Amino acid sequence: MRADRLVATLLFLQTRTRVTVAEVAAELEVSPRTARRDLEALSTAGIPVYSQRGRGGGWSLVGGARTDLTGLTAEEIRALFLLAGPSSTTPELRTALRKLVRALPAPLRSGAEAASRAGLVDGTDWSRADVTATAPHLDALRRAVVDGIQVRLGYAGPGKPVGVRTVHPLGLVAKAGHDYLVAETERGLRTFRLNRVASVEATGEPVVRPDGFDLATVWRSFAARLEERLYAASVRARAEPGAMAILERLFDGRLHVGPMFPDGWTEIRVDGPTPEVVATQLAGLGARIEVLDPPEARERLARLAVELAGVYGPPGSF
């Protein structure tokens, strides 16, 4: 652990002209006493670290000495931080990336830090999608996010023709097999699903980032609002024993299992955006499911039964 701290301390010194013991302690999350001992240990070990007392004093590397630990190209660094930036939930990986960015030469450091903020992977399942949707403009948008360049975005919303708008790309999120762009628009922050993007044209104008923007925080807010809509209604039903495995695969976290009835059937509750949508999803299980309430769900199933009978004929006609 101490060797790890000493390397981290050295890399921190490389990013500053001069640091205080208190700054090192705060950065490495150790006590000031430990930070001072580590700085003294570096000096004793022959590292060109020296201290200056008095007002404006602190610890510095003699002559701005540097240790280049990477040998990575600019494109390799950007790719690494895009893949493992804020999406990482592993403390060790976050610490390693923080050390790496300090070891980078100054011309590469800002690009790495931008890339680390540019991507997010959200593993929470909304639709159990198993196939990644095609996103042909992903690379162009990734460059726009990292370089901080506005783009003219050709985009077709659900059921709408393609329209073109100028947006400020701020980050990319991978979610349930789809990629999303988070961007500032004239109407505020918006998300755009990349497989609905028709064109991307860089304008050359710099992105204007909202004050205090944090990709992970903004995405959690978007996700929470969508999940509220996805789970806004519940349908109560009873299911025969053989249907339970199918229900679990179909609805996963939206399925709530209740007590068993005397006939062996089980009470269930399924969440969804509306009772009618949930009823439509349950309709495929036929007589293995009996919806109990709300009335809107039962009415939807009755209408579906009439519609299907009209197309395929009444039961027993085959």
Side-chain angles (χ1 to χ4, degrees):
M1 287 294 294
R2 192 184 187 204
D4 179 79
R5 283 204 320 273
L6 292 175
V7 173
T9 301
L10 175 58
L11 297 178
F12 185 50
L13 283 166
Q14 290 181 166
T15 66
R16 306 291 187 89
T17 304
R18 181 176 291 111
V19 299
T20 66
V21 168
E23 288 172 338
V24 174
E27 178 67 18
L28 272 64
E29 299 178 353
V30 297
S31 68
R33 182 178 178 182
T34 297
R36 183 180 297 279
R37 282 204 309 264
D38 288 346
L39 288 163
E40 292 171 347
L42 288 173
S43 181
T44 302
I47 305 297
V49 176
Y50 74 98
S51 65
Q52 181 177 344
R53 299 183 181 276
R55 185 179 180 85
W59 291 77
S60 305
L61 282 170
V62 175
R66 294 197 57 81
T67 301
D68 186 358
L69 303 179
T70 66
L72 298 173
T73 68
E75 289 303 315
E76 289 170 341
I77 291 165
R78 286 152 67 103
L80 174 63
F81 279 83
L82 277 166
L83 289 171
S87 64
S88 171
T89 58
T90 306
E92 292 80 4
L93 181 54
R94 290 200 302 269
T95 300
L97 291 174
R98 185 172 59 186
K99 292 175 184 176
L100 178 58
V101 78
R102 294 182 196 137
L104 296 173
L108 302 182
R109 197 177 306 138
S110 61
E113 290 173 339
S116 73
R117 298 189 299 265
L120 176 69
V121 176
D122 184 344
T124 308
D125 187 4
W126 278 342
S127 63
R128 298 183 60 84
D130 295 321
V131 179
T132 301
T134 302
H137 301 287
L138 176 59
D139 288 342
L141 287 170
R142 182 182 288 129
R143 287 194 297 271
V145 170
V146 174
D147 295 339
I149 300 298
Q150 297 179 39
V151 300
R152 279 185 285 273
L153 191 73
Y155 188 78
K160 298 180 180 179
V162 174
V164 178
R165 70 199 80 186
T166 299
V167 304
H168 299 245
L170 300 173
L172 294 163
V173 179
K175 172 73 174 180
H178 294 283
D179 293 299
Y180 296 84
L181 171 71
V182 178
E184 178 75 356
T185 73
E186 60 182 8
R187 297 183 179 181
L189 287 169
R190 294 290 187 272
T191 61
F192 301 91
R193 206 161 94 176
L194 263 61
N195 64 337
R196 294 175 181 157
V197 173
S199 62
V200 176
E201 179 186 357
T203 68
E205 295 297 320
V207 161
V208 178
R209 296 176 68 86
D211 291 339
F213 175 84
D214 176 72
L215 179 60
T217 301
V218 169
W219 179 256
R220 283 196 297 269
S221 176
F222 280 128
R225 291 201 295 270
L226 180 54
E227 286 169 357
E228 285 179 4
R229 295 197 295 270
L230 288 176
Y231 295 85
S234 293
V235 169
R236 190 171 67 93
R238 43 188 256 124
E240 71 170 22
M244 294 304 300
I246 300 174
L247 288 165
E248 289 171 359
R249 289 197 300 271
L250 286 175
F251 299 105
D252 195 25
R254 295 193 287 141
L255 175 68
H256 307 274
V257 180
M260 184 176 293
F261 293 100
D263 60 2
W265 285 43
T266 301
E267 182 177 342
I268 62 167
R269 190 182 86 246
V270 180
D271 299 327
T274 66
E276 291 83 0
V277 168
V278 176
T280 302
Q281 294 170 334
L282 289 171
L285 282 89
R288 287 178 289 178
I289 295 289
E290 180 188 358
V291 169
L292 303 175
D293 57 62
E296 307 96 278
R298 292 177 60 87
E299 291 167 5
R300 174 58 178 161
L301 287 171
R303 289 195 300 272
L304 280 174
V306 172
E307 292 171 8
L308 291 172
V311 173
Y312 300 103
S317 62
F318 298 98

